[in-house]
Amino acid sequence: MKIGVLALQGAVQPHKEKLIKLGVEVEEVRHPSDLKKLSGIILPGGESTTLVHLIRLNGLWDALHEFVSTKPSWGVCAGAILLANQVRDPEQPSLGSVNIMIRRNAYGRQVDSFIRSLTPTAFWKNKERIEGVFIRAPKIVELAPGVVPLFMDEGDVVLAEQNNCLVSTFHPELTDNLIIHEYFLSKCHESSNP
Ligand code: GLN
């Protein structure tokens, strides 16, 4: 199985390392042709406005839009902003494959980064808490019916899924735990071998 990591900007390397540890092939995605033969893609954290600009500059917008609408796709932080169908603070274009409203930089300027223990919802497979690293993180402020909350931080949904897509406002690639990467790979397996 081959998994893509959008490699235009941001935290690409730590995702690659986790995926390799989990035994899958990794493709760095920069151009439309890189999306061929992928079982899924991770859109990593970084700066979403810059990512929108670079995706367009590389002629990747339409192909990526098509991919995330149909195949397993996981947006982390800035990547979650790219997948949300409504972006605020400020509004900006997005690929819109997850029916959520997301507010950028929602934790304020002075508190840019923090680590907190996250609580699984009843929809998650077990009751184990995980550590969440938040870096100038957005907040999911609205979820449409059909978007399933999977992990919470003090009343806010920080990991959610809708059909083929997963969004997290924290960075699972920056902790030792492999559980969210494993979960994403299980979605990729399922969709490749239905
Ligand atoms: N603040 C960034 C944005 O709004 C996201 C930060 C991140 O990906 N860690 O795009």
Side-chain angles (χ1 to χ4, degrees):
M1 191 164 71
K2 202 195 260 186
I3 304 295
V5 181
L6 182 67
L8 299 173
Q9 192 257 342
V12 177
Q13 193 58 29
H15 282 293
K16 283 181 64 182
E17 284 165 19
K18 292 257 187 243
L19 293 172
I20 289 165
K21 223 182 236 178
L22 290 167
V24 296
E25 256 187 273
V26 182
E27 176 82 33
E28 294 194 356
V29 174
R30 294 192 186 85
H31 304 285
S33 58
D34 301 331
L35 291 166
K36 281 186 197 138
K37 304 207 178 108
L38 295 184
S39 300
I41 191 168
I42 296 178
L43 312 181
E47 213 284 323
S48 56
T49 313
T50 308
L51 281 165
V52 167
H53 180 68
L54 293 175
I55 289 167
R56 285 186 166 150
L57 206 65
N58 281 32
L60 192 54
W61 189 273
D62 290 343
L64 196 56
H65 181 262
E66 164 74 20
F67 191 96
V68 303
S69 309
T70 51
K71 302 247 178 76
S73 304
W74 173 19
V76 179
C77 206
I81 296 169
L82 289 176
L83 292 185
N85 72 342
Q86 291 189 69
V87 181
R88 294 288 182 271
D89 294 344
E91 286 187 34
Q92 75 182 17
S94 60
L95 299 164
S97 59
V98 182
N99 215 346
I100 54 172
M101 185 194 281
I102 202 159
R103 201 147 65 76
R104 295 180 60 199
N105 303 319
Y107 292 90
R109 278 192 193 146
Q110 60 284 47
V111 198
D112 284 344
S113 309
F114 58 91
I115 300 177
R116 259 199 306 252
S117 170
L118 309 176
T119 317
T121 68
F123 300 107
W124 185 248
K125 56 187 167 181
N126 61 35
K127 290 194 162 65
E128 221 171 282
R129 296 170 73 93
I130 59 168
E131 225 177 37
V133 177
F134 293 82
I135 304 170
R136 266 181 95 57
K139 255 188 205 184
I140 297 169
V141 289
E142 279 178 34
L143 294 86
V147 182
V148 181
L150 297 175
F151 267 92
M152 308 291 295
D153 167 58
E154 300 190 341
D156 293 309
V157 175
V158 292
L159 178 74
E161 102 184 310
Q162 184 177 31
N163 305 323
N164 55 307
C165 286
L166 199 61
V167 283
S168 62
T169 58
F170 62 101
H171 288 264
E173 79 282 12
L174 298 181
T175 47
D176 286 339
N177 201 329
L178 288 168
I179 195 164
I180 311 294
H181 285 79
E182 281 169 343
Y183 182 69
F184 179 62
L185 290 186
S186 73
K187 281 175 83 71
C188 298
H189 269 297
E190 257 172 51
S191 99
S192 308
N193 313 291

